[in-house]
Amino acid sequence: MIKKLIRSILGRGKAAAAESAEPAKKSRAKAVAAGGKIDPDVLGPKQHGIDPALVSPNAVRVTQTLQEAGYKAFIVGGAVRDLLLGIKPKDFDVATNATPEQVKQLFRRAFIIGRRFQIVHVMFGQELIEVTTFRGASAEAAPKDEHGRVLRDNTFGEQHEDATRRDFTINAMYYDPASQTVLDYHGGIADIRDKKLRIIGEPEARYREDPVRMLRVVRFAAKLKFTIDPASSAPIRVMAPLIDNVPAARVFDEMLKLLMSGHALACLQQLRKEGLHHGLLPLLDVVLEQPLGEKFVSLALANTDARVKEGKGVSPGFLFASLLWHQVLEKWRAYQAAGEYPIPALHLAADDVLDAQTEKLALQRKIASDMRDIWAMQPRFERRVGKAPYKLLEHLRLRAGFDFLLLRCQSGELDAELGEWWEAFIAGNGAEREELIARKPADPAGSNAGPKKRKRRGGRSRSKSPVDSGSSDGSIEQEAAPASVKTRAPAIQETGEAAGEPADSGTGEAPKRRRRRRGSSAAGADSAPAGDD
């Protein structure tokens, strides 16, 4: 009886606490809507449970320097959220009532950046602390585009206004390392405990101000395993097209954060669930519905997540090359079916996919170059004769290309024997490598080889058109490379010899044939596509 009484009392206490919390949330919401001042909940060390050892000493140094100069200063945003969850933050942001110019004067290595809203980067060795000035209430006169997105807003204000300007309740808390107190303006502590993502203010208006918030809510939901508040989720599918109006560089930065969050696969699944993936990675939904494509992308993202969790580096070029590979593969096969040779077809397919993505994601030149290298290496892995494997060992992107090959083998796109052969070749010594090359491959042509070129029997060689002479590109399978190509590149010559093309016989006709080869080579040099070397 006593136990039942205690349980009933505790149950009523929890219910009463929940009932009392609801009016508090409603009153905050009204205050936000009316633009009034909000008093924060102040939580001490025992209430919030933050471990000071998880706080960056440099972040503490920044807040202390600002406070000693007479300014307010707090660690803010995602760092506070992670500290409350017991996670060591990767980045630390500081909010203050000092202006960017005043902040810059206090630190030796400080730089003011940003157009839409100025912030200060304070550098301590390799660590960067981002310092922002409290933002004021959004001014109606602030420049906006025709869809309502704020283009520039350098309005400074009070701390409670800054809290209202932040996107989600769990990101609107302020931690003071000196007093070890947390200021909670919008019920963020309660939402963290409930594992709920809730946007501050009216969701539709907040998404219209900055459509990138729709991507952020997806990233946080997948990373933290939180549920999105129904009111915050409802407008996303309808307002998703607004992301097209955001500068491509900002979308790319947000996508990179999403894919390198350590929960990339969960993020992409959440993007599809919310209807946000169409404009970001075109045809990704189609790829994920194909058995081989889904397995390949899932393996690539799982490997990326594992590396992030282990603290290892991740190559954006490798990541995007994996996500877009099946689009390249589809176009590659289409170009070959239309009569193109494998290597030119691969380059054309890569151009098509990268051109389509650059409009949406503003892929940096270095990343696009890495993607091209990884894709272009794939047919070269299928050439396991002569000196071709040794030459591939010298490629600067060998490791990335080999890892990509292993993904293709693991997903079932290629025979696992090819990956095993290259793994042994890379790790082997000279004798072992010679033995591997002498061993006849199970399928030297590879799965993506184009149609074989027929060997001409006898007779004098016919003159080649520029298109024909330009087709000798070092493709995977060429039984009889034109004689004109043999004088252009040693790698192509090796391919011709390995395919069984006889060397010059040394007869009296040899000089005549050499003259013909030089003429044909010169005729097709400009029109010939670049090989994969």
Side-chain angles (χ1 to χ4, degrees):
M1 291 293 293
I2 295 174
K3 288 183 179 179
K4 288 182 179 180
L5 180 61
I6 292 172
R7 286 173 185 167
S8 65
I9 292 172
L10 289 174
R12 287 173 188 168
K14 289 180 180 178
E19 290 174 4
S20 63
E22 285 303 317
K25 287 184 179 179
K26 290 179 181 179
S27 64
R28 281 196 181 101
K30 288 180 180 179
V32 169
K37 185 175 181 179
I38 303 170
D39 293 325
D41 294 332
V42 182
L43 293 85
K46 292 183 179 179
Q47 294 168 293
H48 58 66
I50 288 177
D51 181 2
L54 297 177
V55 182
S56 163
N58 291 323
V60 174
R61 180 179 170 184
V62 170
T63 58
Q64 184 178 355
T65 301
L66 287 164
Q67 289 171 354
E68 288 175 353
Y71 302 110
K72 294 180 180 179
F74 301 85
I75 294 172
V76 70
V80 181
R81 177 199 67 225
D82 290 345
L83 289 169
L84 289 167
L85 290 169
I87 303 170
K88 184 176 179 63
K90 292 183 179 179
D91 304 303
F92 284 85
D93 297 339
V94 171
T96 178
N97 60 346
T99 65
E101 290 78 11
Q102 290 169 335
V103 174
K104 188 176 185 302
Q105 292 174 0
L106 295 174
F107 301 96
R108 185 173 60 86
R109 296 185 64 200
F111 310 93
I112 298 176
I113 66 166
R115 292 182 180 178
R116 186 169 176 266
F117 189 86
Q118 289 186 333
I119 59 179
V120 182
H121 282 174
V122 181
M123 303 296 299
F124 295 94
Q126 296 298 317
E127 186 176 9
L128 182 151
I129 307 296
E130 189 171 281
V131 183
T132 59
T133 305
F134 292 148
R135 291 171 292 179
S138 183
E140 290 297 327
K144 300 178 182 178
D145 64 10
E146 63 273 19
H147 303 285
R149 182 173 67 89
V150 177
L151 300 176
R152 187 169 56 257
D153 186 6
N154 275 327
T155 305
F156 302 136
E158 299 295 328
Q159 187 172 5
H160 70 275
E161 294 175 316
D162 183 75
T164 302
R165 287 287 303 274
R166 296 189 177 272
D167 46 14
F168 307 107
T169 59
I170 62 171
N171 291 339
M173 290 175 285
Y174 301 76
Y175 175 64
D176 180 5
S179 62
Q180 294 188 30
T181 56
V182 171
L183 305 184
D184 181 8
Y185 283 88
H186 295 281
I189 289 281
D191 286 340
I192 283 179
R193 289 169 181 167
D194 294 339
K195 295 188 174 182
K196 181 188 295 184
L197 271 170
R198 185 164 51 89
I199 200 164
I200 297 170
E202 202 277 310
E204 185 174 342
R206 300 308 304 278
Y207 292 143
R208 196 174 295 279
E209 287 176 0
D210 187 2
V212 170
R213 286 174 178 144
M214 291 185 280
L215 299 179
R216 286 168 61 81
V217 73
V218 166
R219 173 160 60 92
F220 291 142
K223 177 182 177 180
L224 303 173
K225 298 181 181 179
F226 280 21
T227 58
I228 303 175
D229 178 63
S232 300
S233 176
I236 292 179
R237 189 172 292 272
V238 178
M239 303 184 73
L242 291 179
I243 294 177
D244 293 336
N245 304 314
V246 178
R250 277 201 73 206
V251 176
F252 175 77
D253 288 343
E254 193 58 39
M255 281 297 295
L256 206 55
K257 290 178 183 177
L258 185 146
L259 294 171
M260 294 188 170
S261 64
H263 303 81
L265 185 58
C267 285
L268 287 185
Q269 290 170 343
Q270 190 74 34
L271 279 176
R272 296 181 71 197
K273 180 180 176 182
E274 301 295 338
L276 286 169
H277 61 292
H278 291 293
L280 300 174
L281 294 170
L283 302 180
L284 182 61
D285 52 336
V286 178
V287 170
L288 291 175
E289 289 170 5
Q290 298 173 0
L292 281 181
E294 181 177 11
K295 188 172 183 181
F296 181 86
V297 171
S298 298
L299 284 169
L301 295 179
N303 287 351
T304 299
D305 291 345
R307 289 184 66 86
V308 171
K309 290 172 183 175
E310 292 170 6
K312 297 180 180 178
V314 176
S315 164
F318 184 91
L319 191 54
F320 281 102
S322 302
L323 291 176
L324 300 175
W325 169 242
H326 276 75
Q327 294 177 37
V328 173
L329 190 60
E330 182 180 356
K331 291 181 180 292
W332 186 15
R333 289 169 176 166
Y335 276 118
Q336 290 184 80
E340 283 285 357
Y341 285 88
I343 301 303
L346 178 56
H347 291 315
L348 289 170
D351 289 342
D352 289 349
V353 171
L354 288 174
D355 288 345
Q357 290 299 327
T358 300
E359 295 179 5
K360 298 292 182 183
L361 292 177
L363 289 169
Q364 299 170 10
R365 185 177 300 177
K366 173 66 168 63
I367 293 176
S369 176
D370 290 346
M371 294 166 67
R372 286 181 187 277
D373 285 346
I374 291 170
W375 291 336
M377 290 173 69
Q378 298 312 301
R380 295 182 64 183
F381 282 112
E382 300 183 32
R383 291 163 50 191
R384 293 180 276 171
V385 291
K387 296 181 181 178
Y390 290 101
K391 191 165 186 180
L392 191 53
L393 288 180
E394 300 171 3
H395 201 292
L396 293 176
R397 302 287 299 163
L398 172 67
R399 188 70 227 182
F402 173 63
D403 288 344
F404 197 88
L405 174 72
L406 291 182
L407 284 179
R408 296 176 67 200
C409 294
Q410 291 170 17
S411 68
E413 181 188 330
L414 294 176
D415 193 325
E417 183 270 339
L418 181 61
E420 293 168 358
W421 189 95
W422 272 100
E423 190 169 12
F425 187 79
I426 292 172
N429 56 33
E432 291 168 342
R433 289 174 177 175
E434 290 295 333
E435 182 184 349
L436 286 167
I437 291 177
R439 185 191 309 167
K440 187 175 180 180
D443 181 15
S447 59
N448 293 310
K452 290 184 179 181
K453 294 178 68 178
R454 296 178 60 186
K455 248 185 183 178
R456 291 191 299 276
R457 298 181 181 177
R460 297 177 65 183
S461 61
R462 293 171 292 177
S463 60
K464 305 292 289 183
S465 67
V467 174
D468 291 332
S469 65
S471 64
S472 298
D473 45 57
S475 58
I476 302 169
E477 184 172 1
Q478 285 184 323
E479 287 205 354
S484 62
V485 179
K486 292 180 65 178
T487 61
R488 287 172 51 198
I492 304 300
Q493 185 177 359
E494 291 161 16
T495 305
E497 291 174 355
E501 187 176 29
D504 293 339
S505 61
T507 63
E509 295 181 359
K512 189 174 182 180
R513 284 203 300 273
R514 279 199 294 273
R515 283 197 298 274
R516 190 158 53 246
R517 282 199 294 271
R518 284 196 295 271
S520 176
S521 176
D526 294 336
S527 60
D532 59 349
D533 291 333

